[in-house]
Amino acid sequence: MAEILSALRSLMASHSPPLHALIVPSEDYHQSEYVSDRDKRREFVSGFTGSAGLALITKDEARLWTDGRYFLQAMQQLSDQWQLMRIGEDPSVDSWISDNLPREAAIGVDPWCVSVDTAQRWERAFAKNHQKLIQTSSNLVDEVWKNQPPAETNPVIVHPLEFAGRSVAEKLKDLREKLAIEKACGIIITALDEVAWLYNIRGSDVSYCPVVHAFAIVTLNSAFLYVDKRKVSSKVSSSIQENGIEVREYSTVSSDVALLASNQLDKDTGLSSGQNGVCESGTCEAEEKNNDLIWVDPASCCYALFSKLDAKKMLQQQSPLALAKALKNPVELDGLRNAHIRDGAAVVQYLVWLDKQMQEIYGASGYFLEGKGRSKKRSETMKLTEVTASDKLEGFRATKEHFRGLSFPTISSVGPNAAVIHYSPQPETCAELDPDSIYLFDSGAQYLDGTTDITRTVHFGKPSEHEKACYTSDSTQVLKGHIALGNACFPNGTNGHALDILARIPLWRYGLDYRHGTGHGIGSYLNVHEGPHLISFRPQARNVPLQASMTVTDEPGYYEDGTFGIRLENVLVIKEADTEFNFGDKGYLSFEHITWAPYQIKLIDLSLLTPEEIEWLNTYHSKCREILAPSMDKNELDWLKKATEPVSA
């Protein structure tokens, strides 16, 4: 690590102008949350492996900013040469730079790896002390990364209409209608999941995310896909071109954005005017004269492309594809429901297997009974670790129809590790399972018809009264918050910021909280974290109202550093609610649970649940039995029946 910092500082000193600091973001050229191995530059320089963070290197300091999900992980992974900066508690990176670097300091960043919003916010902060954000012509980290992985060259795959639900032609028509309304002549699409969704393509360039490294530009009468052509077979190329899309090399997007800015891009294509668009022959020319804005999403468009455009002819607002993608069509919703049924079956099969293993290997009392684990002799080949257990869960999922891999690295965590919110077990260092400690697993899968994400917390020995209390009591009840949010009924126009409190009130009563949002959207065989909506305390949760046919997770938690962590998570579909009244004619919304796996009764103090909560729990468990039974063998079904037996206070 010292050699990397030294090499970067040498490049910073020789840069023109010399750089007082270098910012190394986590993001790739598309502002992705999860990036390919080649793009893990921040991880390379810092050693911190979390998905969210930003590194700052100065002449004599190295600091890393990350959010509350990763505080513990960062403390464990950062060397003494790095200082952890806690987002929400410590000054932001731009504030810190403004206050601590000299006047007229030059701060370097690769403009391909930072969004327009972020770069402009930094520039405003730096201007106070006449500091400047410098766009480096190359990525300095790449210059010192001797064994940087090669660029991915995985094949582009056409996503069938039977799973997508809407054709490319329909999506392009809708998009062009939005362009016309906003007086825009074209849009630059940089978010990988938006490109994949719009053109009904998928890939495997980024682990856990079925996306392709690609850009797209759509005008009123043309459409382009910028991708490494080695990834596109002749069959796939023909399918793409049939939809009026021209395939161009990934690297040409920069020059084509410049052509778009000078109104030359359409003239440079051989495609017929108006194909798959709203602009018919004879009207395109008139339309183009009135529509001269270029639409960019400042949250996802990289600063490098933005810098090639004329600021006076830009429409800077959220991509219209973000909301269109989030509003699932009926085919996508049915696919998600079916995917979650298969996924729930895999989770139950895993719990059945794990229950048996914990009893046989460790002498645990098991999933249903309370009692201290008995000491049993076992060989090294018999022991269960966080990694071997999660591998088994993946194995159960892999047997299911349409399985295409995991949707994120499985969080398989025992005892103190469960307190690390986004814990990622490694084979060399992971913990062995413990019959007398809480076990939390947060996992999901990619299926052709949907993406899944589920968390359950279990105990195979005797949970302490404190652990029980933290699960459901009035003081720190995760389950009650989970039920409260899932049962919410709310008027149209309500955003996720307003609902977040429902899962937190029980914790707040006793001065407790958790450092992550309560819910995120989820893709249809796309990214497991999908916007633009979310349920969170963060201000951006106010930006987009929740709407019918959106998906969102419900995942409150409670974590005691160094001791244990508890989280429960289901995926919900937002639906129209059938209410007795309709105040203000707004219409009301509610949630449909589509995740199916039991909650462990042993970890619930039933005396602390209200009659309504017990009724909800029994109803949910009854549906679990009914929905998952066809996927179970006799032994699994017997276990499931026992796990979902009706309870009372």
Side-chain angles (χ1 to χ4, degrees):
M1 204 63 65
E3 295 81 6
I4 295 170
L5 291 175
S6 177
L8 284 172
R9 285 170 176 145
S10 177
L11 288 177
M12 290 161 57
S14 62
H15 190 274
S16 180
L19 301 177
H20 294 79
L22 177 69
I23 298 175
V24 184
S26 298
E27 290 77 16
D28 59 12
Y29 290 7
H30 307 268
Q31 310 311 302
S32 307
E33 176 186 15
Y34 293 112
V35 300
S36 68
D37 289 344
R38 178 180 179 78
D39 293 316
K40 293 180 179 177
R41 297 178 179 90
R42 188 228 60 226
E43 178 180 324
F44 171 73
V45 301
S46 69
F48 168 63
T49 62
S51 67
L54 178 147
L56 177 71
I57 300 163
T58 69
K59 293 178 181 178
D60 47 23
E61 288 193 72
R63 293 173 179 256
L64 180 123
W65 276 258
T66 192
D67 63 49
R69 297 171 297 169
Y70 294 111
F71 289 169
L72 286 178
Q73 180 178 334
M75 289 172 62
Q76 294 167 1
Q77 292 183 332
L78 292 176
S79 71
D80 293 341
Q81 295 166 315
W82 287 85
Q83 181 168 339
L84 173 62
M85 302 293 285
R86 295 169 171 82
I87 293 175
E89 299 178 14
D90 294 322
S92 64
V93 65
D94 47 325
S95 295
W96 189 91
I97 288 173
S98 179
D99 293 341
N100 290 276
L101 293 187
R103 286 177 64 85
E104 300 184 356
I107 299 97
V109 70
D110 181 347
W112 287 91
C113 296
V114 62
S115 72
V116 176
D117 269 349
T118 300
Q120 291 181 336
R121 185 176 71 249
W122 291 346
E123 287 179 328
R124 288 191 295 270
F126 299 164
K128 298 172 187 174
N129 283 323
H130 302 283
Q131 299 164 334
K132 290 187 178 180
L133 183 67
I134 304 297
Q135 300 184 38
T136 61
S137 58
S138 63
N139 193 294
L140 301 192
V141 175
D142 292 353
E143 293 187 35
V144 304
W145 194 350
K146 302 223 183 324
N147 298 313
Q148 186 176 19
E152 301 284 353
T153 55
N154 301 314
V156 175
I157 299 165
V158 174
H159 192 47
L161 188 60
E162 65 178 291
F163 299 121
R166 298 194 73 215
S167 69
V168 176
E170 289 176 294
K171 293 177 181 180
L172 283 172
K173 184 175 185 296
D174 286 351
L175 176 57
R176 288 182 171 125
E177 287 174 349
K178 292 183 175 72
L179 291 179
I181 290 169
E182 297 291 346
K183 305 298 182 186
C185 63
I187 182 170
I188 302 167
I189 303 161
T190 57
L192 297 182
D193 60 337
E194 291 185 8
V195 176
W197 178 86
L198 176 64
Y199 288 160
N200 283 350
I201 57 174
R202 298 294 189 269
S204 54
D205 285 350
V206 180
S207 296
Y208 312 106
C209 305
V211 294
V212 181
H213 280 140
F215 294 97
I217 294 178
V218 176
T219 71
L220 290 171
N221 45 31
S222 302
F224 304 89
L225 173 67
Y226 299 89
V227 63
D228 184 337
K229 287 187 176 181
R230 293 176 296 173
K231 302 175 182 179
V232 186
S233 68
S234 57
K235 182 178 180 181
V236 170
S237 180
S238 296
S239 175
I240 292 172
Q241 290 176 13
E242 284 172 5
N243 286 301
I245 303 161
E246 182 174 338
V247 180
R248 296 194 172 186
E249 281 292 347
Y250 183 82
S251 58
T252 64
V253 67
S254 185
S255 57
D256 274 12
V257 166
L259 287 173
L260 179 66
S262 60
N263 199 30
Q264 297 297 307
L265 184 59
D266 278 343
K267 295 181 176 62
D268 192 44
T269 177
L271 293 177
S272 59
S273 182
Q275 187 168 7
N276 278 332
V278 297
C279 193
E280 300 299 334
S281 177
T283 64
C284 284
E285 190 174 338
E287 194 78 51
E288 287 167 1
K289 287 180 180 177
N290 295 326
N291 299 15
D292 62 352
L293 298 177
I294 296 171
W295 193 331
V296 294
D297 185 336
S300 61
C301 182
C302 60
Y303 206 43
L305 294 179
F306 173 86
S307 299
K308 296 183 175 297
L309 301 172
D310 182 350
K312 296 176 183 176
K313 291 190 175 182
M314 265 192 286
L315 174 64
Q316 293 187 57
Q317 64 184 34
Q318 185 178 80
S319 166
L321 300 182
L323 182 59
K325 175 167 53 64
L327 295 172
K328 303 295 185 284
N329 64 57
V331 171
E332 290 174 319
L333 288 174
D334 285 344
L336 280 161
R337 292 184 183 101
N338 292 331
H340 279 80
I341 291 171
R342 296 193 301 276
D343 202 65
V347 169
V348 169
Q349 289 165 341
Y350 172 63
L351 285 170
V352 173
W353 172 85
L354 189 56
D355 186 14
K356 182 179 180 183
Q357 296 299 307
M358 292 300 290
Q359 293 182 61
E360 291 182 352
I361 297 175
Y362 297 100
S365 54
Y367 186 90
F368 301 106
L369 301 176
E370 291 189 18
K372 283 286 187 183
R374 302 185 306 277
S375 176
K376 294 185 73 174
K377 290 184 179 179
R378 54 157 182 78
S379 67
E380 280 296 305
T381 57
M382 290 178 63
K383 81 173 184 178
L384 288 176
T385 68
E386 292 165 331
V387 168
T388 58
S390 67
D391 287 348
K392 189 68 176 181
L393 175 54
E394 182 176 358
F396 282 114
R397 285 188 162 115
T399 65
K400 305 305 178 189
E401 185 182 19
H402 301 320
F403 176 79
R404 289 297 182 273
L406 301 182
S407 56
F408 59 96
T410 298
I411 299 169
S412 173
S413 51
V414 175
N417 291 338
V420 181
I421 296 171
H422 270 207
Y423 174 74
S424 180
Q426 302 301 315
E428 307 79 18
T429 57
C430 68
E432 185 174 1
L433 266 61
D434 180 356
D436 295 316
S437 293
I438 271 180
Y439 174 61
L440 181 157
F441 63 102
D442 182 350
S443 63
Q446 295 286 5
Y447 302 93
L448 284 175
D449 52 353
T451 303
T452 68
D453 187 0
I454 177 176
T455 307
R456 289 294 184 266
T457 306
V458 294
H459 200 302
F460 294 98
K462 183 175 177 60
S464 69
E465 289 305 311
H466 181 56
E467 287 170 338
K468 270 192 177 183
C470 290
Y471 198 76
T472 56
S473 77
D474 289 338
S475 62
T476 55
Q477 43 145 296
V478 174
L479 179 61
K480 288 169 77 78
H482 179 72
I483 293 173
L485 177 58
N487 281 346
C489 184
F490 49 95
N492 271 304
T494 302
N495 57 48
H497 193 275
L499 294 185
D500 183 75
I501 191 174
L502 294 176
R504 295 182 192 269
I505 284 177
L507 296 162
W508 288 354
R509 286 191 187 122
Y510 292 85
L512 300 172
D513 208 344
Y514 50 94
R515 294 189 179 104
H516 58 77
T518 305
H520 58 82
I522 192 164
S524 176
Y525 186 40
L526 270 176
N527 294 352
V528 71
H529 294 157
E530 181 178 85
H533 60 292
L534 67 162
I535 298 176
S536 176
F537 58 90
R538 295 184 174 89
Q540 59 263 41
R542 298 190 183 103
N543 296 343
V544 179
L546 300 178
Q547 299 181 40
S549 80
M550 284 178 169
T551 56
V552 69
T553 61
D554 172 5
E555 49 178 312
Y558 175 71
Y559 312 89
E560 285 199 0
D561 292 355
T563 308
F564 64 86
I566 294 167
R567 184 163 63 252
L568 296 173
E569 178 182 18
N570 281 4
V571 173
L572 316 175
V573 171
I574 303 173
K575 63 178 183 177
E576 293 182 0
D578 183 17
T579 55
E580 184 176 355
F581 302 103
N582 184 18
F583 181 79
D585 292 324
K586 288 183 175 181
Y588 281 71
L589 301 171
S590 61
F591 294 115
E592 170 196 351
H593 286 256
I594 62 172
T595 298
W596 303 109
Y599 305 96
Q600 190 179 26
I601 300 301
K602 187 169 76 174
L603 273 176
I604 301 173
D605 187 341
L606 296 170
S607 68
L608 297 174
L609 294 182
T610 66
E612 292 79 13
E613 288 164 342
I614 288 178
E615 181 183 4
W616 182 90
L617 183 64
N618 285 334
T619 300
Y620 177 83
H621 276 167
S622 175
K623 289 180 179 177
C624 276
R625 286 195 306 276
E626 177 186 348
I627 289 170
L628 299 181
S631 304
M632 307 279 102
D633 64 23
K634 184 181 184 306
N635 178 55
E636 294 161 350
L637 184 56
D638 288 345
W639 187 98
L640 179 61
K641 287 178 178 177
K642 189 172 182 181
T644 58
E645 287 177 348
V647 296
S648 58

